[in-house]
Amino acid sequence: QSDAVLGAQKGVQQSLGGQGINPLEGTGTVQAALLDASRGRRRAIRGAYDDAGKKKAGVLSEGVRDLAKQVGTNFRQNFNPATAPKAASLADQLSGFERVFPGRVRSINVKTLEQYRQQVSALTRSSDPLERAAAGNILRSYDDFMADTLDKMLVSGDDAALEAFSKARTLRRQFAKEFEGDVILDKLISEADGTLLLEPSEATRYLFGAGKLGGKTGATKALRRIKGILGEDSVEWQGLKEEAFLRLFPGDKAAIGKFPGAFDKVLKDSPELMRELFTGDEVLKLRRFRDVIANVTQKAPGAVNYSNTAATLSRLAQDVFGNSRGVLSFIARLPIAKDIA
């Protein structure tokens, strides 16, 4: 019986994502894909700002002074320069631009400012958590200010330069919309010295919860972001669906009897999470599989054999597997197989 159920479990997993992954492979693949996507978006942003710089787009000197003030004030309101000296140095660097570019200079090229931003961005991947957090504070202040420079008419240049700057700003906003502002997503792809902070096992627990599926606050929102970035039909997203199923039914004999209850609980407590992960047809398939397992493992009071008829089990299994070969293979290995013949 156990072998039959575990064989069925693998079939259902395969039907969800088409890959038959091992535990943790789905999350690890998603981390790598998200990190690659993030790096690609960042390269596109840098290229767009480089192009704007070549076209002589610049931020007016009074705008740079306002930027320096905003960055410095926000940094010192939240951090002690003594505990994050590298970030403090970067916060002060903007105010030094006036000394590097004398008062007669009308504007500062956006390429120079983007190079400054790259320095700050690099510090957000420091192994020092205080430096990382402080650099993140500077980066947000910088981006918030730069997002409004065009609207505030703080940008100089001809039409081509302004168009190039607008493109760079649009890419930057899109990146923020996709990758920033979500704690779980940020943690999944956070790096220190070029290495992901979370191993796949840690990332799986961080995304789905330490226990069964549905135990993590904010997981639905993070999954929605991930699906939007990678695409619903991507192999990475399909693998993550399998990973979620494996959280419900890990594929060992001890999990067989627990699956119906675990499925019922997540469907009751986290319906939005299930809808984000699985299509309506897939949820129905899982519900029917839950019924198969419940019928196989539940004994009727005082009976030697399992409750419910073989015909019911056969019908439910047919719903799950969708073909007679799978049904017959599954049913034939159950303890009640003799009743089917």
Side-chain angles (χ1 to χ4, degrees), residues 195-212:
T195 302
L196 285 168
L197 293 177
L198 295 182
E199 296 286 339
S201 59
E202 297 171 309
T204 301
R205 290 193 296 271
Y206 194 77
L207 177 58
F208 292 126
K212 295 293 183 182

Side-chain angles (χ1 to χ4, degrees), residues 233-276:
D233 296 327
S234 67
V235 294
E236 294 86 4
W237 177 254
Q238 297 302 311
L240 195 62
K241 288 163 61 173
E242 290 190 33
E243 192 78 69
F245 174 67
L246 290 174
R247 296 292 285 177
L248 284 171
F249 198 149
D252 56 68
K253 294 180 180 180
I256 294 174
K258 298 176 182 179
F259 172 68
F263 178 78
D264 290 345
K265 180 174 175 57
V266 71
L267 205 59
K268 177 183 177 182
D269 296 346
S270 306
E272 291 185 2
L273 177 76
M274 292 295 281
R275 285 195 294 269
E276 202 62 52

Side-chain angles (χ1 to χ4, degrees), residues 127-202:
S127 57
D128 185 324
L130 279 176
E131 293 283 14
R132 280 203 310 271
N137 174 275
I138 295 173
L139 204 59
R140 285 188 294 275
S141 296
Y142 177 94
D143 288 337
D144 288 346
F145 185 90
M146 292 295 286
D148 295 329
T149 51
L150 198 59
D151 296 334
K152 293 179 179 178
M153 301 184 70
L154 293 173
V155 180
S156 64
D158 59 19
D159 288 345
L162 295 179
E163 183 179 350
F165 181 82
S166 179
K167 177 184 176 182
R169 187 184 65 164
T170 298
L171 289 174
R172 184 68 195 77
R173 282 178 169 171
Q174 181 62 33
F175 179 85
K177 182 179 179 181
E178 287 183 319
F179 284 95
E180 295 178 351
D182 188 284
V183 175
I184 294 178
L185 176 57
D186 182 65
K187 189 74 171 179
L188 289 179
I189 59 174
S190 289
E191 300 176 90
D193 301 327
T195 302
L196 285 168
L197 293 177
L198 295 182
E199 296 286 339
S201 59
E202 297 171 309

Side-chain angles (χ1 to χ4, degrees), residues 35-338:
L35 186 59
D36 185 61
S38 173
R39 288 171 173 170
R41 306 286 202 281
R42 291 178 189 275
R43 285 193 297 270
I45 293 168
R46 288 196 297 270
Y49 274 112
D50 283 346
D51 183 53
K54 290 175 183 177
K55 291 181 169 62
K56 308 301 181 184
V59 176
L60 298 177
S61 55
E62 58 264 36
V64 176
R65 284 195 294 271
D66 292 343
L67 171 62
K69 182 179 179 180
Q70 179 168 310
V71 167
T73 299
N74 287 345
F75 172 77
R76 284 171 174 76
Q77 284 177 345
N78 293 279
F79 294 93
N80 182 348
T83 59
K86 292 180 181 179
S89 176
L90 286 172
D92 291 338
Q93 188 173 321
L94 277 175
S95 60
F97 279 6
E98 285 189 82
R99 295 189 295 273
V100 177
F101 301 97
R104 65 178 179 274
V105 175
R106 181 169 176 264
S107 65
I108 296 177
N109 192 289
V110 294
K111 184 175 181 180
T112 299
L113 292 171
E114 176 59 17
Q115 288 171 343
Y116 167 81
R117 191 190 183 283
Q118 290 174 27
Q119 290 181 298
V120 179
S121 180
L123 190 58
T124 64
R125 297 183 289 276
S126 168
S127 57
D128 185 324
L130 279 176
E131 293 283 14
R132 280 203 310 271
N137 174 275
I138 295 173
L139 204 59
R140 285 188 294 275
S141 296
Y142 177 94
D143 288 337
D144 288 346
F145 185 90
M146 292 295 286
D148 295 329
T149 51
L150 198 59
D151 296 334
K152 293 179 179 178
M153 301 184 70
L154 293 173
V155 180
S156 64
D158 59 19
D159 288 345
L162 295 179
E163 183 179 350
F165 181 82
S166 179
K167 177 184 176 182
R169 187 184 65 164
T170 298
L171 289 174
R172 184 68 195 77
R173 282 178 169 171
Q174 181 62 33
F175 179 85
K177 182 179 179 181
E178 287 183 319
F179 284 95
E180 295 178 351
D182 188 284
V183 175
I184 294 178
L185 176 57
D186 182 65
K187 189 74 171 179
L188 289 179
I189 59 174
S190 289
E191 300 176 90
D193 301 327
T195 302
L196 285 168
L197 293 177
L198 295 182
E199 296 286 339
S201 59
E202 297 171 309
T204 301
R205 290 193 296 271
Y206 194 77
L207 177 58
F208 292 126
K212 295 293 183 182
L213 185 67
K216 182 71 176 183
T217 301
T220 301
K221 179 185 173 185
L223 287 166
R224 189 175 299 122
R225 286 270 196 109
I226 292 169
K227 182 163 60 174
I229 294 168
L230 300 180
E232 189 170 3
D233 296 327
S234 67
V235 294
E236 294 86 4
W237 177 254
Q238 297 302 311
L240 195 62
K241 288 163 61 173
E242 290 190 33
E243 192 78 69
F245 174 67
L246 290 174
R247 296 292 285 177
L248 284 171
F249 198 149
D252 56 68
K253 294 180 180 180
I256 294 174
K258 298 176 182 179
F259 172 68
F263 178 78
D264 290 345
K265 180 174 175 57
V266 71
L267 205 59
K268 177 183 177 182
D269 296 346
S270 306
E272 291 185 2
L273 177 76
M274 292 295 281
R275 285 195 294 269
E276 202 62 52
L277 279 166
F278 305 111
T279 66
D281 287 343
E282 288 167 343
V283 171
L284 181 60
K285 178 181 293 187
L286 290 172
R287 190 189 295 275
R288 289 169 173 167
F289 182 57
R290 173 249 181 248
D291 291 343
V292 171
I293 302 302
N295 277 281
V296 168
T297 57
Q298 179 183 348
K299 288 185 178 180
V304 175
N305 226 334
Y306 289 88
S307 65
N308 275 18
T309 64
T312 300
L313 278 175
S314 180
R315 176 176 56 78
L316 291 170
Q318 176 71 61
D319 286 339
V320 173
F321 295 102
N323 65 81
S324 58
R325 176 179 293 183
V327 174
L328 294 175
S329 174
F330 177 56
I331 296 296
R333 291 153 65 190
L334 296 178
I336 57 172
K338 63 181 185 296

